[in-house]
Structures are given as C-alpha cells and as structure tokens.
Amino acid sequence: MQSNLPDPSLIRGMTQRRLGRRDALRVSGLSAFAMALAACGVKGTGSTTPSAPAPDAVAKYWAGKTSNGTVNFANWPLYMDPEQPELKKFTKATGVAVKYQEVIQEMGPWFAKVQPQLAAKQSIGYDLMVITNGIQFKQFVDSGFLAPLDHSKLPNYVANADPSYAKEAFDPGNVYTIPWTSGMTGIAYDPKKITRPITKLADLWDPAFKGKVGMYSDTQELGNFGMMALGIDPAKSTPEDWKKAAEKLKEQKAAGQVRNYYDQSYVDALGKGEVWITQAWSGDIFQKNVSDGTDFKFVIPEEGGTIWTDNFAIPITAQNPVDAIKLMDFFYEVENAATLAEYINYVCPVPAAQAKIKEHAAAASGDDKSALEAVAASNLVFPTQADYAKLHYFRDFATPAEQQEYQSIFEPIVLA
C-alpha cells in the first residue's frame, strides 16, 4: 500500500493552507470583514446563536428533491489525497459523479464571491462547500444562505460522529452543517529543552522559560490564551474580559517571557531552539514531527485550548442537494473517515476511524506501518473526551465595531 501521509513539500503547503484559514478568523483582517459586511448589507444581530430555521423548513426544502447523479464540491487546497480515492469510491458505489475543486482560500473572499448569487437565489455552481466557523459562517446562516440538513439522510453521521460536535456553539444540533475536520490550538514544547511535563497555561508565564516563549501574533489566538489563563471562556467574553486578559498578556511581555509574537513561523522557531514552548496548532506539530523526525509535544492545557472546525454545508441554491448530502454522509462511513484522516492528519470527527487506521497499520509494513501507527495513536487526530471537554470556541463578533474594539485592546501587545 502507498503511504497515506504527504511528503514534506505537501506538508509545507498544508501549513500554509492552515494559516490562510486562520486568517479568515483573525481580527487583523478587520478591513476585509468590514468591506464584506458593507458590500453585502449584512449586519450583526448582537447574538452569537445561529438563526433557527422555521419548524417546517427541513421538510419544505427537501420535498420533491431527487438525485441527479452529479455533485459539485468546493473545498480548500490540499484537503484530500490528490488521487481523490474517496471520491472515486463514492462514484463507484453510487453512480454519482463528483466534480471536486479546491477553490476556497479564505472565508472572507469566498463569502464575498458567492453572496451576490445566493442573495439573488441563483446557483453558485457548487452543491457542497467546506466553510469555517467564524464571522462569515454567521453571515451565511443569518442571510438564509445554507440549506437546513435532513438528518434522516445522514445515517452514517448519526451513527458514527463524535457527539461533541452536536454541541458546537456556532451550529448547535448541526442544523446547517456537519464537520469535515477540526484543529486545536494548545501548547507545543521541546522535551529536550524542557524536562518537566507542561500542563498549564501558567507555564507560558514561568520565569524558567524567560525569553524562550512563543506567542501568536494573531490577536484572537493571543487574546484567547490571555482569557483562558484567567478562567474566562472566550466564546462568552465581554470587553471587560478582554481588558483583563490584555493586562495579563502585558505582564508576560514586560517580564521578558516572550521571544516573539509569531505567525506560522513559530514552527521553525521551535525547530531551531529559538523558543522552547509556544502557542501551537495541532496539525502543524503532528506534521512537523512526521516530516522532520522531531518529537515535539502538544498539549491542551488544563485551563483549556481552542478548537476550530471546517464544515460541510449545502448552499440554499444547490442544484444537486440530494447528491451532496449523500456525499456528506459517505465521509462518515468509518473506512472513508479513516483514509481521509490518514492523509490530512487533522482531527477526525469519527472516533471509530481510529480502530480502522490501526487495522490498516497492522496490514502495512515499513514506513507505512510506522506512519499509520503514529496517526492512530495521536491525540491530535483523535482527541479524547477529556480533551474535547477542555476546548473552547472563538468569540463571534456581532458587528465590525465590536471586532474593532477587540483589535484595539490586543493589537498593541503585538506591535509595541
């Protein structure tokens, strides 16, 4: 069997894709968000709870819809094996042809591109798309641009998805979306430099690591850790909470703890020994260990980490929604979830895929065997229930003004 893990050149591409997706959530992109909001005429409602569909919305949407034998699928780059083995398997099993395109680079531009057609009740040319939780997600929902899902058409999802996903704050009950994959923000450290276990956010303030701590330049990621260090849930935070967190982070900086505020380059800084301990994204650390043979550790601190999720969604004007939801459910068959996770190495929403990957590893040999065993054993791909319990979602900003306020509080820490 061929290795399902990407070569180092693809890993670098994955990291860049990850950064682009995070850019869609980061508040330094405020101008793009504001322009998108202004251009689209979308205003925040002041609530982070998604708009609920009418009680009969599901029945009305799906009434009379049938399979057309084709589905157009829009996704992010490098989010599937280039050979597309799962899609070929799907077509063979169902007869439904899939046109797969890696056309989503950032959420802001994607929403701006499809909004005019959706507002005019026209097809965007895609029946299925993968969108990230964040401000544009709320815009899609509040604007009525997403089809409500008929869970009776998702038996594999109902049977195999981790129940934690039904509790996601941005789409409780998975009314409009189900996960494609997720990633976590926590702490990474080099056990060759730090011999004691790292377990708490407070470790980022430990004087023993003075000058060897990496923090994110992404102000939302930075602010989240400041808040969680104080016991504040970022998703429920207020401007007063932001100010308290900023003071906590300023204390860290004034004490000389922080080597630098990094973007994706934190991975290289950790590899070079410039930092010993740093804020980190789970997929980056797993891929770094695979590509470079390092043994960096990734932990979700006791106080918590954050989670982001990329989600399947059907545009309300999709021409082939029955085929789209059939494909969504296909990826929740355990075997298909397993092979996808073997390639992309991000959090798999199907817990039973872990045992399936172990089966694949047992049948493999050499480097393939080792790589598959590493995926199956990784908490970065298969978090435990205890891990999930410690993960928080990002704060949704109801208006550009609210986002500007957040930015004005945390940005000076990075720039000063």
Side-chain angles (χ1 to χ4, degrees):
M1 107 184 231
Q2 293 183 336
S3 173
N4 287 303
L5 293 173
D7 62 40
S9 64
L10 284 182
I11 287 169
R12 176 58 58 190
M14 284 183 177
T15 302
Q16 293 299 333
R17 184 202 69 239
R18 172 75 169 96
L19 185 64
R21 187 162 60 252
R22 294 300 317 116
D23 282 344
L25 294 176
R26 83 170 43 171
V27 289
S28 59
L30 176 62
S31 58
F33 287 137
M35 286 189 291
L37 286 169
C40 302
V42 177
K43 296 182 180 180
T45 63
S47 171
T48 59
T49 302
S51 300
D56 60 347
V58 173
K60 282 186 176 180
Y61 178 80
W62 292 99
K65 289 183 168 61
T66 58
S67 173
N68 297 318
T70 188
V71 60
N72 296 293
F73 183 6
N75 205 346
W76 300 76
L78 296 166
Y79 235 178
M80 185 185 294
D81 186 325
E83 296 296 318
Q84 301 175 9
E86 292 85 11
L87 298 185
K88 292 175 181 177
K89 181 180 177 183
F90 174 76
T91 297
K92 183 177 181 180
T94 66
V96 176
V98 183
K99 184 178 181 181
Y100 182 77
Q101 294 185 270
E102 298 177 337
V103 292
I104 304 176
Q105 300 287 342
E106 294 183 41
M107 281 301 299
W110 177 250
F111 181 83
K113 177 181 179 179
V114 301
Q115 187 274 341
Q117 296 103 303
L118 290 169
K121 303 186 186 309
Q122 298 172 353
S123 170
I124 65 170
Y126 297 99
D127 310 299
L128 186 61
M129 58 185 176
V130 173
I131 59 175
T132 310
N133 64 292
I135 192 168
Q136 279 82 24
F137 186 99
K138 180 174 171 59
Q139 289 175 252
F140 271 114
V141 172
D142 288 352
S143 300
F145 291 163
L146 301 184
L149 300 179
D150 182 350
H151 284 222
S152 71
K153 300 181 186 299
L154 295 167
N156 291 319
Y157 162 76
V158 172
N160 298 325
D162 191 293
S164 300
Y165 286 102
K167 302 174 184 176
E168 292 173 316
F170 60 86
D171 187 17
N174 298 114
V175 174
Y176 299 101
T177 65
I178 59 175
W180 169 258
T181 192
S182 297
M184 300 172 286
T185 306
I187 295 175
Y189 68 98
D190 186 347
K192 293 181 180 179
K193 303 290 197 308
I194 300 175
T195 55
R196 70 170 177 83
I198 297 299
T199 61
K200 300 179 180 181
L201 286 172
D203 291 323
L204 295 168
W205 278 258
D206 188 336
F209 312 137
K210 183 176 181 178
K212 294 296 184 180
V213 174
M215 299 294 286
Y216 277 137
S217 58
D218 179 325
T219 51
Q220 195 163 16
E221 294 278 23
L222 181 68
N224 286 341
F225 268 45
M227 284 185 273
M228 290 187 294
L230 295 172
I232 298 167
D233 182 349
K236 300 175 182 178
S237 62
T238 67
E240 286 304 310
D241 292 329
W242 305 341
K243 293 173 184 176
K244 293 175 184 177
E247 289 304 312
K248 179 73 173 176
L249 292 163
K250 289 174 184 177
E251 291 173 8
Q252 181 194 38
K253 183 173 185 176
Q257 289 293 113
V258 180
R259 173 65 178 262
N260 203 351
Y261 295 90
Y262 294 95
D263 53 21
Q264 174 264 333
S265 61
Y266 81 91
V267 179
D268 295 327
L270 186 63
K272 294 175 182 177
E274 294 174 5
V275 298
W276 297 352
I277 179 173
T278 180
Q279 282 187 277
W281 291 318
S282 57
D284 286 350
I285 301 306
F286 186 92
Q287 292 165 4
K288 179 70 171 178
N289 287 341
V290 169
S291 64
D292 293 358
T294 52
D295 188 32
F296 298 140
K297 304 300 182 184
F298 179 90
V299 297
I300 301 171
E302 291 177 4
E303 301 92 335
T306 53
I307 185 170
W308 50 266
T309 302
D310 282 347
N311 307 274
F312 282 117
I314 298 175
I316 194 71
T317 57
Q319 300 298 294
N320 306 292
V322 172
D323 300 301
I325 201 167
K326 189 180 298 184
L327 180 57
M328 291 166 67
D329 197 53
F330 176 82
F331 276 100
Y332 277 83
E333 290 183 16
V334 175
E335 175 70 24
N336 304 326
T339 57
L340 182 67
E342 288 168 5
Y343 181 79
I344 65 175
N345 305 154
Y346 283 98
V347 177
C348 178
V350 178
Q354 186 173 30
K356 183 61 67 174
I357 296 173
K358 290 178 181 178
E359 289 181 20
H360 295 171
S365 61
D367 290 343
D368 286 344
K369 185 180 186 71
S370 298
L372 291 172
E373 288 175 341
V375 174
S378 177
N379 281 14
L380 309 188
V381 181
F382 295 100
T384 66
Q385 288 303 312
D387 291 332
Y388 277 120
K390 294 190 292 184
L391 294 172
H392 300 275
Y393 283 97
F394 284 59
R395 173 66 150 80
D396 285 336
F397 298 107
T399 65
E402 187 177 58
Q403 198 170 1
Q404 280 181 320
E405 182 177 8
Y406 183 98
Q407 175 77 346
S408 69
I409 291 171
F410 289 105
E411 188 176 59
I413 300 171
V414 176
L415 299 180

